[in-house]
Amino acid sequence: MVGIDVGGIRKGFHLAALDVDSAVFLRLGAADSPDEAVRWIGALPAKPEIVAIDAPPFALRTREETRAAERAVCRAGYRIQWTRKFPKEPAEWMVNGASLWRSLERYRCVETFPTVVHNQLIHSCEQLPLNLLVGFDRNYYKDFVDACLAAFAARRVLDETALCFGLDDEFGPIWC
């Protein structure tokens, strides 16, 4: 499993690879571009079954009403960043995320929301060895944690225990 936290152009992507069988994180990484993220994933020992991305697959919506998945997450009590409606300018991180989605078309990708995943940690058995953070700037630890939470969500999608928000959403659901 792979989880990816998406930032803007300057921040880039933070990635986490989770071993499904042992529930232990194998690797963390950072990428400046979608192509670099694809290369990072391609260098893993095995192709991930699911890549969970903390960004919607499209930077703008075309429908007048807001996304069903985002409304469902909001109704569950979480504060979200809404996907803007065309012709408004999209959020930079969503543009970066949409570009990543296009680059990962050969993988099974799902959208996730790490804040919701975080609230389910009491039920998790996954482990993050802190020594994986060695060599990374401490300013980005939160981004790595969000990437790990995204990988947790990917594992839950695989074992069919993930929460699903907005199954009928035009972009697809948000899995947590």
Side-chain angles (χ1 to χ4, degrees), residues 21-174:
D21 298 325
S22 68
V24 172
F25 283 92
L26 305 171
R27 229 179 126 185
L28 300 178
D32 292 327
S33 69
D35 289 341
E36 191 177 337
V38 170
R39 283 192 298 278
W40 187 91
I41 294 168
L44 294 172
K47 180 180 176 181
E49 295 182 60
I50 299 174
V51 176
I53 303 170
D54 180 19
F58 305 101
L60 289 170
R61 61 186 164 80
T62 56
R63 293 184 181 175
E64 188 59 40
E65 80 176 331
T66 56
R67 292 183 55 202
E70 291 173 347
R71 289 193 310 272
V73 170
C74 190
R75 275 194 307 273
Y78 296 94
R79 190 178 145 263
I80 63 159
Q81 294 182 44
W82 299 91
T83 303
R84 297 174 185 160
K85 183 186 178 305
F86 179 82
K88 286 186 179 178
E89 276 295 310
E92 180 187 62
W93 71 272
M94 286 190 186
V95 172
N96 212 20
S99 179
L100 177 69
W101 276 83
R102 287 189 303 275
S103 296
L104 291 170
E105 63 185 9
R106 69 175 176 238
Y107 295 97
R108 178 181 175 199
C109 295
V110 298
E111 181 181 359
T112 190
F113 191 63
T115 303
V116 177
V117 179
H118 170 263
N119 288 340
Q120 300 174 50
L121 286 178
I122 195 163
H123 305 293
S124 73
C125 61
E126 294 87 350
Q127 301 172 31
L128 173 59
L130 293 177
N131 64 345
L132 290 178
L133 292 167
V134 171
F136 293 111
D137 185 330
R138 287 181 59 141
N139 291 322
Y140 298 110
Y141 281 10
K142 180 193 174 301
D143 302 306
F144 285 114
V145 169
D146 280 355
C148 291
L149 291 168
F152 289 159
R155 185 168 189 246
R156 289 194 176 102
V157 170
L158 183 67
D159 68 17
E160 299 179 355
T161 60
L163 296 176
C164 178
F165 293 92
L167 193 56
D168 58 347
D169 191 83
E170 67 178 302
F171 290 9
I174 296 174

